[in-house]
Amino acid sequence: HLDRPRVERRLRGEEGPAELFQHRPALAVQRPRLLHVASHRLEVRERSLEQRLRLAIAVHLLEQQSRTGKGEFVTYLTGAAAAYRWASLAQSGDGASRVYCPPDELELDGRSYAKIAVEEYRRGKSEYAKLPQYPLNVLSLALLRGLSEKFPCKAAKFASQ
């Protein structure tokens, strides 16, 4: 499709010959900034749906891996649980409230952590589905909340420590 006014100007000789940009620097192209580009509602809805699907797939994979106690998701949550435990122990030294308090004789493993995370996710599925974070981050939050719910700390326990 030709630009009719431009063709007519060219035929009348009002427009100079076309230039090749190879002989001189090309014009700078401005890229739109993130704040200047407004997302369309359909794009936002599509990203939200995509995020929920990713999360559902991650939960399904975590359920499968929890049966064997092996897999990258189980390993990730085991690392997160170790960090939560260390943070909780560090908080108990300065008198701050701990995040969760499992019984001393209880040994939790990757399988246990995965089951706790999945149970908590299912309990608050609608809330977790709204979070825009990476699925493993959402599941690690579910693990933290699940541990706090399953092993709450009692004030009397700190008096003896």
Side-chain angles (χ1 to χ4, degrees):
H1 181 267
L2 297 174
D3 181 10
R4 186 176 186 93
R6 187 171 182 181
V7 171
E8 289 173 358
R9 282 195 307 269
R10 179 84 172 122
L11 291 173
R12 288 191 305 260
E14 295 173 1
E15 192 172 310
E19 285 185 55
L20 294 175
F21 288 115
Q22 295 173 353
H23 300 295
R24 62 186 177 97
L27 298 173
V29 176
Q30 269 191 335
R31 295 183 183 196
R33 294 185 183 157
L34 184 60
L35 297 175
H36 294 233
V37 179
S39 295
H40 191 273
R41 283 191 299 180
L42 292 176
E43 291 173 5
V44 171
R45 189 175 300 144
E46 184 177 301
R47 276 186 266 154
S48 175
L49 175 62
E50 183 179 313
Q51 176 65 20
R52 285 194 309 266
L53 288 175
R54 282 188 193 149
L55 186 56
I57 291 169
V59 170
H60 180 71
L61 287 172
L62 181 59
E63 283 180 311
Q64 287 179 338
Q65 292 177 10
S66 71
R67 291 183 196 117
T68 62
K70 297 178 184 177
E72 54 276 347
F73 285 27
V74 171
T75 302
Y76 181 87
L77 288 181
T78 301
Y84 298 152
R85 184 147 196 164
W86 280 110
S88 191
L89 290 172
Q91 288 177 345
S92 67
D94 63 358
S97 64
R98 291 173 59 180
V99 178
Y100 72 102
C101 300
D104 294 331
E105 67 278 357
L106 180 67
E107 288 196 31
L108 296 169
D109 61 357
R111 184 178 294 160
S112 305
Y113 294 130
K115 288 180 181 179
I116 291 170
V118 169
E119 286 172 13
E120 171 59 24
Y121 168 78
R122 297 222 183 281
R123 187 192 63 73
K125 187 175 181 176
S126 61
E127 179 187 350
Y128 290 113
K130 293 176 188 174
L131 297 175
Q133 284 79 15
Y134 187 68
L136 283 176
N137 293 346
V138 174
L139 289 172
S140 61
L141 174 62
L143 174 63
L144 179 62
R145 289 178 176 172
L147 288 169
S148 297
E149 182 74 25
K150 199 169 202 77
F151 307 111
C153 297
K154 295 176 179 57
K157 189 171 184 174
F158 293 114
S160 63
Q161 290 183 348

